[in-house]
């Protein structure tokens, strides 16, 4: 799974750059044709989110927005890939699309995390 971190703009509810959306759409289409993309989506700002916390048997609820933008997920994509190296190459392509369209001032982060597979019985 690839997790794209939120930005100040995404947390402010600003729509993504249309050129960026088109380029990401093209990349997603390529991966879908290859059969590697399982799903993807962007998340609305944390101002529309609620966190549920469980401690000592009690639930508490906190409505967003949440302060640490750099720790928030702004979008995700799930892939079925053969190796970590293949995931890194795809992640580099995805982030390069951002660099090409958004320019040198853009700062973003992508996290690659394997999905836990339950042992087969």
């Amino acid at each position: 799974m690839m997790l794209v971190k939120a930005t100040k703009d995404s947390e402010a509810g600003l729509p993504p750059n249309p050129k960026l959306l088109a380029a990401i759409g093209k990349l997603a289409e390529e991966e879908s044709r290859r059969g590697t993309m399982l799903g993807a989506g962007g998340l609305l700002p944390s101002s529309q989110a609620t966190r549920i916390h469980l401690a000592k048997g009690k639930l508490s609820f906190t409505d967003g927005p949440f302060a640490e933008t750099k720790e928030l997920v702004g979008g995700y994509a799930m892939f079925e890939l053969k190796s970590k190296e293949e995931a890194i190459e795809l992640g580099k392509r995805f982030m390069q699309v951002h660099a090409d369209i958004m320019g040198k001032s853009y700062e973003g982060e992508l996290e690659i995390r394997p999905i836990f597979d339950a042992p087969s019985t």
Side-chain angles (χ1 to χ4, degrees), residues 50 62 85 101 106-107:
T50 299
T62 305
E85 292 73 28
I101 292 169
Y106 176 81
E107 286 189 36

Side-chain angles (χ1 to χ4, degrees), residues 25-36 93:
K26 182 180 175 189
L27 183 60
E29 188 177 307
E30 290 171 14
E31 293 305 313
S32 291
R33 273 197 306 266
R34 280 185 17 163
T36 60
R93 285 180 56 209

Side-chain angles (χ1 to χ4, degrees), residues 1-102:
M1 174 175 269
M2 294 185 186
L3 304 168
V4 180
K5 298 298 176 105
T7 65
K8 288 183 215 170
D9 287 348
S10 67
E11 273 299 287
L14 298 176
N17 178 309
K19 289 181 182 178
L20 179 63
L21 279 180
I24 291 171
K26 182 180 175 189
L27 183 60
E29 188 177 307
E30 290 171 14
E31 293 305 313
S32 291
R33 273 197 306 266
R34 280 185 17 163
T36 60
M37 180 176 252
L38 304 177
L43 303 178
L44 293 174
S46 70
S47 60
Q48 298 185 41
T50 299
R51 288 183 176 167
I52 301 173
H53 183 78
L54 174 63
K56 298 181 181 177
K58 296 192 181 217
L59 294 173
S60 63
F61 306 87
T62 305
D63 288 329
F66 306 119
E68 289 295 323
T69 302
K70 66 182 181 181
E71 298 298 323
L72 296 174
V73 175
Y76 68 94
M78 292 178 59
F79 298 92
E80 190 164 326
L81 302 170
K82 294 178 180 131
S83 67
K84 180 178 180 179
E85 292 73 28
E86 187 179 4
I88 290 170
E89 284 304 312
L90 183 55
K92 285 169 37 180
R93 285 180 56 209
F94 180 81
M95 293 307 283
Q96 188 60 52
V97 165
H98 285 72
D100 293 346
I101 292 169
M102 303 301 285

